Amino acid sequence: MVVSGVDASIVHTVETMARAYGIQVLGTISKPVTARQLEDYLAKTSPLAMVPADGAVQEVATAEELRNGLANREFLAFFQPKVSMATGEITGVETLVRWYRPGQGVLVPKDFIYRLEEEGLMDLLLEALLKQTCTYLRAWSDRGLEVDASVNVSMHSLEDIGVADRLHALVLEEDCDPRRITLEVTETDVMSKLADVLNVLARLRLKGFKLSIDDFGTGYSSLQQLNHMPFTELKVDQTFVREAPSDERSRSIIETSLDLARKLSLKSVAEGVENRAEWDLVKAMGCQEAQGYFISRPMPGHQLPDWAEMWQPPTTEEDVRYGALIPALVRKPMSAAACLSGPRVLAAGWSPA
Ligand code: C2E
Ligand code: MG
Ligand code: MG
C-alpha cells in the first residue's frame, strides 16, 4: 500500500512503478491514514488470490511439475460472470485458470503463468482451458443457461499462424460454436508483434471467434493501430474502475475508453466492479457490461447455473451483494475431483483424470 502526503500524480506514478516491479499494490492512501481506510483496503483483498493454500511457502514450479500438471488435468477453469448493465442479464463468463497443485493447494495465475510462459507451455494451457470451457458451455446449455464464454490468450500463442486453424478445429470437435467464444488478448501484448498478431487475429475472426482487448488503457497502443484490429469488445482495466469514484483522471480515462468503444462499435465491459458505487458510476458513463466481485467472484463451473438462478441485479438503494455469497462457497478447500465431479459435468461426458 502506498501511503504518502505528496501530490496525487506522484503517488500515482509510484503505484504504477511498484506494479511494474511485480509488487501487488492494494492501493494508495493520502496521509493522515485512518483505521477505516486501512480496513476498506484490506477487505478488498481476496483470500483466494492472496494466501498460498495452507499458508505454505510456494516453491517455483519445475518444468516437469508443469507438464505433469497439464497431463493430469490439475489446471482447472473457474468462471466469472459478465452481466448486462441495462438488463442485469448474464451475458457470458470469463474463464480463469486455477492450478490445483499437489501439496500446495489452489494457485492463481500470477503464481504460475510466467513459468508456463518460460517453458513454452501456454498453448497446452489454452487448449486445456478451451476444452473445459466448451464442456461447460454444453453442460450449462443442458440446464437452460445459454451464455457465451471468454478465454484469455497469451501473446505467445498468437505468434504462430497455425493457431487459428487449431483452435477452430478444437472447438468444433467439442461440439461448440466459435461464435460463442471470445478470445481475450492484453493490449500490451498485442502491440509488440503487430504484423504476425494482425494476421492471426484476422484469421480467428474469419473463423467466427470474437476478440476482446483486455486491460484496456494499460498498454501502449495507438488509436490508429486499434482501428486496424478486428476486435469486437473492449475491457476497461480494473485499476481505473477501482480508482474512478475518488479519482477524476481515472474517470476521464474510462470516459474516453467508452467513447472509443462506441465509435469503433466495440462492446464495452468494465472489469473489477467491486461495489455499488463503481457499478453506478460505470453504468452512468454508458458502459454496457460489468464483471467483478460485486457481481460474483470466479467460481467452479458446476456452481454457475445455481448462481444464475439466484442472481439479481442491484435495482434498489439497498446494496444487494449476491457476489458476497460466492467466496463462502469457493473458499473451502476443494479437491480437483470435487470441483469438477458435479453430476451435470459428468453427464456432459467430461471427468477429471
Ligand atoms: P484478466 O483476464 O484481466 O482477468 C481478470 C482478473 O481480475 C482475474 O484475476 C479475476 O479474478 C480478477 N477480478 C475479477 N473481478 C475482480 C474484482 O472485482 N476485484 C479484483 N480485485 N479482482 C477481480 P485472476 O484469475 O487472478 O487472473 C489474473 C490474470 O491472469 C487475468 O487477468 C489474465 O490476464 C491471466 N489469466 C487467467 N487465466 C488465464 C488463462 O487461462 N490463460 C492466460 N493466458 N491467462 C490467464
Ligand atoms: Mg481477461
Ligand atoms: Mg483484464
Side-chain angles (χ1 to χ4, degrees), residues 281-339:
L281 195 63
V282 288
K283 188 175 179 191
M285 286 175 165
C287 189
Q288 290 170 318
E289 294 186 6
Q291 179 183 341
Y293 296 169
F294 182 61
I295 298 136
S296 169
R297 290 186 182 243
M299 66 186 101
H302 67 268
Q303 289 180 0
L304 190 78
D306 290 338
W307 178 87
E309 247 169 58
M310 207 170 61
W311 156 253
Q312 280 176 9
T315 48
T316 62
E317 286 303 300
E318 172 195 334
D319 195 352
V320 194
R321 302 200 55 163
Y322 283 86
L325 294 174
I326 297 300
L329 295 174
V330 298
R331 218 182 277 153
K332 296 205 184 97
M334 211 183 312
S335 69
C339 175

Side-chain angles (χ1 to χ4, degrees), residues 94 152 184 186 213-216 235-238 271:
E94 176 171 4
N152 290 285
E184 292 194 7
T186 306
I213 185 157
D214 205 353
D215 304 342
F216 186 76
K235 293 187 94 170
V236 175
D237 190 61
Q238 53 180 282
E271 288 192 299

